[in-house]
Amino acid sequence: MDRLDNTIRPYAWGSTTAIPQLLGVEPTGEPQAEMWMGAHPGAPSRTERGTLVEVIEAAPERELGEKAVARFGPRLPFLLKILAAGAPLSLQVHPDLEQAKAGYEDEERRHIPVDAGHRNYKDANHKPELICALTEFDGLCGFRAPADAARLLAGLDVDSLKPYVDLLHARPEDAALREVLTAVLTADPDEMSHTVTAAAAACARLGGDYAPYADIAHHYPGDPGVIAAMLLNHVRLQPGEALFLGAGIPHAYLSGLGVEIMANSDNVLRCGLTPKHVDVPELLRIVRFEAADPGVLRPEASPDGEEVYETPIDEFRLSRYVLPEGTVAHDLTRATPQILLCTAGSVRTGEHELSPGQSVFVPAGEKAEVTGAGTVFRATVIV
């Protein structure tokens, strides 16, 4: 197995302290948003044998296993991250596999450069994802019921929001959510900026359920995404709880530290809270306009101590082992590729001693046992 040397991405929304604290190092003063573990070409993990991309390309069946290569091709189909949000991320949605393939082929035919700011589809893959909280973690996930969104907006007592309140009461669920989101994102920018400013002041004054939106508005003053965010469920995860985010579900992470795993894709359509490109027509085509409970996940324990976060996705499978002092060795050998990540305590696998934030890549079929006292996350695939 290979110890991984991983890149930390310095996105502006990242926390300046959370990842350094996990790693036990001094903060640099700069934001540290995500630590990537995997074979994404944008920032592949490094090993003594080369980058993980190079290691897999040299012998895909040996590293990934025959079944995984047959199912997903000669590439690692997931990307594992430690994510540290010090400020809200962009409000966004991901396409399903069919939409991603069609969108990618269309933009290829139109010769839009992959790195163009207005390009929507960087690849032909979908991007389901799972976030598991390591600390208390705040996010937005899925639409509220229209009546609940109407109550929240009406409570601000802002005249320019009243037409949206009326729409949410008057139309069927899917039409109400679609019409209000469309109206928010296509409104005159100056008028919407005034509305957001008034709404933000009311949120700050009222506190309680409105407090998250006051914080969002503080980071993104005048952004229509502030109003769009109020259409969504606010979720506060406790450590060990998780959210699964499937295709078409609008979401945003607000604050906290977590382990994130996703299909290996860059396809994002943004709804707001960002200076980046927002393609409103394409976004409205992809979003699923249905109210739903965000569905907080808690791991399901197996007899051998593995706690699995069940999702409907084959490209990744995330689980964890919480190992108390004196635990006997756990055999993690598996016929699929794995990344093992320590997030607490100290654990040993093979010749590698892992402290928080350290990880290893385990090729398919490679003997893997863990001992020690700590928490280990295991990322692999289902074939």
Side-chain angles (χ1 to χ4, degrees):
M1 65 182 70
D2 300 275
R3 182 182 288 273
L4 299 179
D5 179 17
N6 304 305
T7 297
I8 295 176
R9 309 306 292 261
Y11 305 136
W13 49 262
S15 167
T16 58
T17 59
I19 289 179
Q21 185 175 7
L22 179 73
L23 298 177
V25 300
E26 286 296 316
T28 65
E30 298 298 318
Q32 298 188 17
E34 296 180 347
M35 185 168 76
W36 288 20
M37 292 158 280
H40 191 287
S45 298
R46 298 167 294 277
T47 78
E48 291 185 351
R49 296 189 286 159
T51 70
L52 198 52
V53 169
E54 294 166 342
V55 168
I56 291 171
E57 286 179 344
E61 290 195 352
R62 183 183 70 200
E63 303 297 332
L64 304 177
E66 292 183 4
K67 289 184 177 179
V69 172
R71 175 74 174 80
F72 304 110
R75 62 186 184 87
L76 190 66
F78 65 82
L79 177 63
L80 184 67
K81 300 178 180 180
I82 292 175
L83 183 146
L89 282 67
S90 62
L91 190 60
Q92 59 189 255
V93 69
H94 306 305
D96 64 26
L97 189 56
E98 183 177 330
Q99 291 164 339
K101 288 178 178 177
Y104 179 78
E105 290 170 2
D106 173 64
E107 291 184 328
E108 286 290 281
R109 279 194 303 269
R110 292 191 282 136
H111 304 292
I112 300 175
V114 173
D115 59 355
H118 65 287
R119 176 142 181 171
N120 295 315
Y121 298 95
K122 310 292 187 182
D123 53 68
N125 199 17
H126 62 166
K127 193 187 176 188
E129 59 191 41
L130 177 77
I131 183 77
C132 177
L134 294 178
T135 65
E136 193 169 74
F137 194 97
D138 275 24
L140 305 172
C141 180
F143 285 109
R144 298 173 180 269
D148 290 341
R151 174 191 56 78
L152 199 68
L153 292 176
L156 297 174
D157 196 25
V158 174
D159 286 345
S160 53
L161 290 175
K162 290 178 180 177
Y164 304 149
V165 174
D166 292 341
L167 274 174
L168 289 166
H169 282 307
R171 305 285 283 153
E173 177 179 287
D174 58 343
L177 295 170
R178 178 183 292 275
E179 290 182 26
V180 172
L181 184 62
T182 301
V184 169
L185 296 181
T186 58
D188 177 83
D190 290 335
E191 292 180 4
M192 179 52 65
S193 180
H194 289 304
T195 295
V196 172
T197 299
C203 287
R205 183 180 69 254
L206 293 167
D209 290 345
Y210 293 96
Y213 307 101
D215 185 63
I216 292 170
H218 170 74
H219 289 284
Y220 298 97
D223 192 307
V226 174
I227 306 302
M230 298 185 74
L231 302 176
L232 307 186
N233 297 296
H234 174 244
V235 184
R236 177 163 291 164
L237 300 178
Q238 298 304 312
E241 295 181 333
L243 283 176
F244 172 72
L245 302 161
I249 304 299
H251 62 277
Y253 302 145
L254 303 180
S255 65
L257 182 70
V259 173
E260 185 182 36
I261 190 168
M262 61 186 62
N264 212 346
S265 171
D266 278 336
N267 288 326
V268 175
L269 290 149
R270 296 175 179 85
C271 316
L273 311 183
T274 178
K276 296 182 179 179
H277 175 62
V278 177
D279 184 336
V280 174
E282 184 66 7
L283 169 73
L284 296 174
R285 193 178 71 83
I286 298 301
V287 171
R288 291 168 53 186
F289 289 97
E290 55 186 46
D293 185 284
V296 173
L297 294 177
R298 296 171 182 85
E300 298 184 12
S302 61
D304 69 351
E306 184 180 28
E307 299 177 347
V308 182
Y309 294 91
E310 298 287 354
T311 72
I313 297 301
D314 293 341
E315 283 94 336
F316 61 74
R317 176 185 184 273
L318 186 70
S319 62
R320 70 174 185 175
Y321 289 83
V322 180
L323 308 175
E325 191 72 52
T327 302
V328 298
H330 285 270
D331 185 359
L332 273 60
T333 307
R334 191 177 173 94
T336 52
Q338 304 180 74
I339 292 178
L340 305 180
L341 165 67
C342 176
T343 59
S346 177
V347 299
R348 186 172 187 85
T349 179
E351 62 185 22
H352 302 289
E353 194 81 29
L354 303 181
S355 57
Q358 296 182 333
S359 56
V360 294
F361 172 72
V362 185
E366 185 83 10
K367 181 70 173 178
E369 288 187 342
V370 292
T371 57
T375 300
V376 181
F377 279 83
R378 177 198 220 184
T380 186
V381 300
I382 297 173
V383 293

